Structure formats: C-alpha cells, structure tokens
Amino acid sequence: MSFFLIRYGEISVKGQNRSFFIQTLIKNIRKKIPDQELHIRQRAGRIYLESSCLEKEVIPFLKKIPGIVSISPFQQVASDVNALQETGQRLVQKKIPGTPLRFRVTTKRAHKGFPLTSMEISRAVGAYVLRNTEQLTVDLENPDLTLYIEVRKEGSFLYTEKIPGVGGLPVGTSGRGLLLLSGGIDSPVAGWMTLKRGVQIEALYFHSPPFIGERSKEKVVDLCGTLKGYAPKIRLSVISLTPSLKQLKEKIPEKYLIIVMRRIMMRMAETLAEEKNIPALITGESIGQVASQTLENLMAISAVIRRPVLRPLSGMDKMEIIKLAREIGTYRISIRPYEDCCTLFVPKHPILKPRIEELERLEERLPIDSLIKKAMDEKERVTI
Amino acid sequence: MESIYLDNSATTQPSPEVILAVQKTMEHIYGNPSSLHKKGIAAERILNDCRERVAHILGAEIGEIYFTSGGTEGNNLAIKGLAAARGLEKKHLICSAVEHPSTIEAVRYLEKEGLKVTYLPVDEEGFVDGKLLKESLTKETMLVSIMHVNNEIGTVQPVKKIAEIIKENSRALFHCDMVQSFLRLPLTGEGPGPDLITISAHKIQGPKGVGVLYKKGGISLKPLFHGGGQEEGLRSGTENVPAIAGLSASLQKEFDSQRVQEMKDHLTQSIIDAFPWVKVNSPPKDSAPHILSLSFPGFKGEVLLHALEEEGVYVSTGSACHAKTVQISHVLEAIGLSREEAQGTLRFSLSEENTPGQIEMAGRKIVQAVKGLSSFAGGKR
C-alpha cells in the first residue's frame, strides 16, 4: 500500500477549464498506473493517490505524466502527537546519509480542533526526532531535509520528499498534433516537448524501402514506445516515400532534391492531418543545424501547407537537445547505428535560399496529387 | 511470398532432425554430464556420441575433440590458448589478411600485448601465396592461422599444401578455421592436415551456441575459462548438452556439393548475362560451392539487400553502413576492391535446402531489383 500527494501547477490557473484539466490529468494517471485498486481523490488543489502497489513501482510512472509538478509519497497516521513523532522519526532516519544533516519540521494544520497549534506540533515532533536521531541539527533557514506534516481530522500525512514531475499540462488538454518522427535524435524530443504542453501527439514516419531498412522502422516504433511513457497513447502511421523518391531522382536537379522532398512530405503530412482532423504539425527542425535548415528553407517547406508547424527545438543547441533526449530516454534508441546510411539523397550542396516560384516550377514535373493519394491509400498503422 | 534464404554463411536454418534432437534432449536428458548418477551418465553419453561422430569425420581421435560455444570461441581458444601456454616473448604468429574477425581480432589483441605478427596478404582472388608464407616462417613462429574457406568470398585455401609448407620449414603449429567448410567440402591432397581446427554447428544446420575445437594430441593450450574442469580442463562450464545433441543430428545431414555448385553457377550466369559489368569476386576455380560474392559497382549493397528482402530474397552485404561513414570489409579491401565495388558487394550463400527453382526465381528477382534501382545508382551505371 502506498500514498502519494500530487501537485499540479499551471492547471490551477486555468479558470473555468480547471475541472476539465484536472479530470484529464486524473484520467491519464489512471491509464498509466498498473493498479486495479487505485483510489484518486482531489482536494484543495491537489490530488491524493492511494495505490495497492509499492511506492517504487508507482513513482517511475508518475514522474513521466505531464501536468504533474511534484510528487510526495507520504505516510498516513492517526492525528495523534505520539504517532506523528514516531513516524516522523522513522521517515527522517531513512534519509540520514551518514553525514551531519540540518533539518526542520513544517506543519500545516487543517484540523483546527487539534489540541496543538502548527508551531507546537513542529516543535514537539522536531524535538522528538532530534533526540532519537544521530547526526542531526535543526536549521529553520537552510535545512537539508524538511519533514512536512499535514494534520487533518481523519488522519495526518507525513513526508520528506518532493520528487519533481515533468510539469506542463495534462496530455489531451491542448488538442492533438501530428509529429513527423524520424529515427534521429531531434524529432522525438520535439514530440516530448509538445506532449509536455498537453498536446496528444500522433506520429508519422516516412519509410522508404529499400533505401532504408526495416530496422530503422523498428527504431521509430521503439521511439514511439518511449514517448508513450509520457502519454496515455501514441498512434503511429507509416507512409512510404519510395514512389516519390523515384520520381524526384528522375526529374528534380540534385541540389533541389531535399527541399522538394520535404515539401512533398509536408503535403502528405497535412493530408493525413486533414483526414484525422488534427490542427497542427510538429517537426524536430531547428535553425541552422544543418545546411538545409535555413529560414528560407523553413519558409519554403511551410509554404505548401495551411496548418501551423510547431518547431519546439528551433531555439535549442544540439547539445541541449542531446541532453534532453538522454533524460527522456530516446537518445539510446536514436543513436542505434542503422540509420539512413543512404547518402543517396543528400547532395553535397543543397540549395540554401530557394525561390518558391522556382520550386513550384520544378514541382510541375511531378504528379504530386497522385503521389499523395497513393501514399494515403497505402499507409500503414502500427500499434504501439 | 516464398522466402528464398541465401544467407547460409551467416547462419543456416536448423533441420527438423536437429530441432527434434534438441527438444528431446531438453525434455528427457536434462542431467549434468558431470553428475555421478545415471541422469548424468545419459547426458555424458550424448557428448561421447557426438565426439565420436566428429572424430570420425575428421579422422581424429575422440580425445582430440573439445566442445566450445562456436566459431568465435574455437578461434580464440586455439590462438589465445596457445599464446598463453607458450608466452609472447620472442614468439611469432602468422595469419592471413582475410581471416574471420574472431581470428584477426584475437591476433590483434595479442599483437598489442607484444606478440610479433605477420598478416599474409592475399591475391585478388583471396589466395595466400605459398612462397610468401614460406618466407615469413621463422624459428620463432609458433602458430599459423589460415582459414579453409573464406566466409565472404568463398576462396578455398590449399590447406594440405599450406600444412606441408609449414611442417617442412618450421616447427609452427597450424590452426585452420573450418567454420565455412566443415561438411561442405573435404580437405583434399596428401599429407598431414592442421593441428587445430575450429568448427561451428549453426553453419551446418545445427543449433547456435555450440562448436568444436579439434586439438591434435600432445598440444597444450591454456583454457579461456576456469572452473569445474570440463573438457579435460580446456573448457570449464557445464556442457551444452541439448545443442551438442543437435550438432550430432546435423552431422548426419547430406550435403550434395555438386548440386549446390550447379545452383551457384546458374545464379552467377543469370546475373552476369543480364549485367556483364558485374564483378565476380569468388574465384572461378577453388571456390566453395555455396558462396558467391558479386559486386554491383555504383549500387549500394544495403539498398539492394533491402530491395531483395522485399521480394523475399535474403542475402548479405560486404560493407556495413554506420550513420555517415561506410565501413568496408577487410576481406574486400584485401582482395583490392575499389570503394565503389566494395560498397556494392552482395554475398549469396546457398545451402542444401535451396532448390534450382528457388535459384531461378532469385536470379530473376535480383536482375529485376538491379534494374529497378539503376536510376539511383551513381558512378558508371
């Protein structure tokens, strides 16, 4: 049996939508915690969770749910000074690292009928803990450890930890977005960043057999699996780019290949988004990371579609992206070696400042509508 | 769509007899061969039976057969085990430049530790030069390691001739990696054979994780693993009894070398007829009947591989793509292929399970795939 106090942040300021946000968060928590007997209550701007699982089984899941700012596993005891003292001592004892530690007690008294005031409770428990624990000193200003006590009529809570959560908004409260997911380092991070803002993402992977092997697709499936840790669900659609690549290679000059290919990918993504009624696209593009990511190129890419393209990484450095990718667990998957080794479509000198009229003129050589239709007809849905 | 598996040098499909033998052994003969009771004895009988069969095939004594976990362990045990027994000081080792990585890397490791090493170059068909071997032998040479059949291009080294050169000109031992040739082609010629031989079960339709090191009587090797002293102390660890039973079963499987050779010739011909510019890397003479290496310059092997995969044909490449760099195999480099040729190299490796109909179909599919991708090929095409 374990108990958790869950704090949410931005949700509390969301005015009349508040209850929708909280209900979504609770729904997401239920979906993620593998526990049939989960009890969730919501009170005074917090969520209280009671699980039949062990603390260490539940925490890893909670730490990944967007909308949760922090998690405090707590002990529940009768509202009685002796019980508070003993449990408080036990909790502090667990945290003693073997070197001297400064601590304090902070009490909140919701049960106004309790015989002691908050201050008196803190003092009584603090003194008891101090007496019974080695290497402990009191420091009210700069404690290394705080023992929190909340006294309620039906029982009191004690905890020492505030485990940071992902923060942000519950997934699903900001609508849906279509993530263009490759096997690389960037796009999964972009997906995570939008998940964190409450967007339920659906992933789209452009496969191009035989130029890209089946293992690259596996990689994308695994990336979706990792992202699913942060969301109630992830859907993945796979679209074959091969027929388009064949046309491109035949009809488009080499230095325009990538930009025209991207424009085709965007059109396909938008068609899929249209079908699924998704209002925005998400990409892992950042500015200037590779030669083809100039602002002119981004403009040329976005020019073929009407939906907004979210590029959450546009302001980040590669090192920052890598750091985040490691933290969210996608890096290990992204760096698997079987990447698109096919330098086949990577010209030595891609065009940096394309003129849109020029691109449009070139694209007249391609049967774009039928390419898109074929791609949609043959798309594959992968269950994550 | 029917699968046409042409990657038998990577691994083979276990035969039904092998699967049955492994399963039956796991079910009924689960004792530890070292146990004193009859469950142990039953397990030991499986080991002895297999030892006997392998010894018979190699013309060796039962006491010269040691079970290992496969080719990599066999090569490591032969090379590192001998070096550990003899020491590295003033010692010399010779191996060919086209050995399997489990040989080359073991040798490189010893070289870093201070052993003197000669890597024998090969000609453009992958053969070592007997004269060069003779010149490389010194009084200090303790081991020559040369494989029988090259796993990438199929070149068959004249093992008996090599043994003769070694014996006549030095006191060195001869280790031969026969992983690709065991039960596929015999050692031909007169005279003595190798002193140490590595064999792996999963290349002959046996199970993975088991193999044999043949060690001629009187040679002393230091073990890689220390422990319970199994395999006369050379290889501690409870023997992989079910897999060894599987190995026994795989030894009984026939291999019609001529039939496989005919299929290989047919496959070669059908590709060359369509594309005369394709380079055949496997030698025309003294080539393994089941291994065919072809270069399609201008194409990327990996792309061709995936295109064939879509058609149900499974093959290997001669180079591995790693993100932005392409690593070319040391074998293809040693036989002097250009970068372009190496990148466009495919290996087709056949087995007894393939049929002429499959090969006919594979040939057509290969031609089709190459044609389909020709607009993507750079360079000459």
Side-chain angles (χ1 to χ4, degrees), chain A residues 209-211 213 246 341 343-344, chain B residues 300 303 306-307 310 321 373 376:
Chain A
F211 306 110
K246 291 191 167 166
C341 81
T343 42
L344 208 52
Chain B
K300 293 215 190 273
V303 172
H306 292 312
E310 280 182 13
C321 289
L373 289 167
F376 294 91

Side-chain angles (χ1 to χ4, degrees), chain A residues 209-214 245-246 249-250 337-345, chain B residues 300 302-304 306-310 321-324 326 372-373 375-377:
Chain A
F211 306 110
I212 306 284
E214 198 62 17
L245 293 177
K246 291 191 167 166
K249 189 79 183 177
E250 271 170 36
Y338 23 82
E339 210 187 346
D340 39 332
C341 81
C342 296
T343 42
L344 208 52
F345 299 103
Chain B
K300 293 215 190 273
E302 208 166 302
V303 172
L304 278 173
H306 292 312
L308 290 173
E309 175 188 11
E310 280 182 13
C321 289
H322 292 289
K324 279 166 189 142
V326 178
L373 289 167
S375 63
F376 294 91

Side-chain angles (χ1 to χ4, degrees), chain B residues 125-363:
Chain B
E125 290 182 343
F127 293 103
V128 294
D129 179 350
K131 200 162 146 270
L132 210 56
L133 169 61
K134 189 176 163 184
E135 288 164 8
S136 305
L137 289 163
T138 69
K139 270 201 301 210
E140 293 171 348
T141 310
M142 63 169 168
L143 183 70
V144 178
S145 187
I146 293 174
M147 68 203 321
H148 187 194
V149 166
N150 182 270
N151 55 309
E152 290 192 37
I153 55 174
T155 308
V156 182
Q157 304 291 352
V159 169
K160 291 271 172 133
K161 214 178 103 201
I162 288 170
E164 192 184 312
I165 295 172
I166 296 168
K167 295 301 157 200
E168 279 180 7
N169 297 283
S170 75
R171 299 178 56 200
L173 296 179
F174 176 27
H175 166 241
C176 185
D177 171 353
M178 287 183 42
V179 167
Q180 293 292 343
S181 65
F182 182 65
L183 291 192
R184 295 292 172 262
L185 61 163
L187 287 176
T188 49
E190 295 299 309
D195 303 298
L196 295 152
I197 293 175
T198 300
I199 290 166
S200 169
H202 76 104
K203 309 288 190 190
I204 52 169
Q205 298 196 262
K208 290 161 186 69
V210 68
V212 159
L213 179 68
Y214 157 80
K215 175 175 81 70
K216 191 181 265 175
I219 297 172
S220 136
L221 300 181
K222 280 259 171 79
L224 300 175
F225 303 158
H226 299 89
Q230 287 87 343
E231 299 299 289
E232 293 180 35
L234 189 59
R235 209 279 185 178
S236 284
T238 301
E239 294 88 344
N240 191 348
V241 182
I244 290 168
L247 169 58
S248 272
S250 71
L251 298 174
Q252 293 162 48
K253 179 108 180 151
E254 295 282 319
F255 184 83
D256 184 345
S257 161
Q258 198 184 332
R259 175 172 170 271
V260 175
Q261 177 75 51
E262 276 165 15
M263 290 195 282
K264 172 179 150 178
D265 291 344
H266 185 83
L267 184 64
T268 316
Q269 206 52 50
S270 61
I271 296 169
I272 297 294
D273 283 349
F275 312 116
W277 44 267
V278 166
K279 186 174 180 315
V280 183
N281 301 314
S282 306
K285 214 174 139 272
D286 291 324
S287 170
H290 58 302
I291 300 176
L292 172 62
S293 169
L294 299 178
S295 291
F296 300 81
F299 288 80
K300 293 215 190 273
E302 208 166 302
V303 172
L304 278 173
L305 177 149
H306 292 312
L308 290 173
E309 175 188 11
E310 280 182 13
E311 295 296 319
V313 180
Y314 300 93
V315 302
S316 275
T317 58
S319 57
C321 289
H322 292 289
K324 279 166 189 142
T325 62
V326 178
Q327 275 180 0
I328 287 168
S329 105
H330 66 290
V331 175
L332 302 182
E333 213 163 12
I335 61 169
L337 289 199
S338 71
R339 208 179 158 70
E340 204 193 11
E341 287 165 340
Q343 278 187 26
T345 299
L346 290 185
R347 178 188 69 185
F348 307 91
S349 46
L350 284 61
S351 85
E352 186 67 35
E353 302 298 315
N354 296 124
T355 62
Q358 281 188 339
I359 297 302
E360 178 82 42
M361 175 74 82

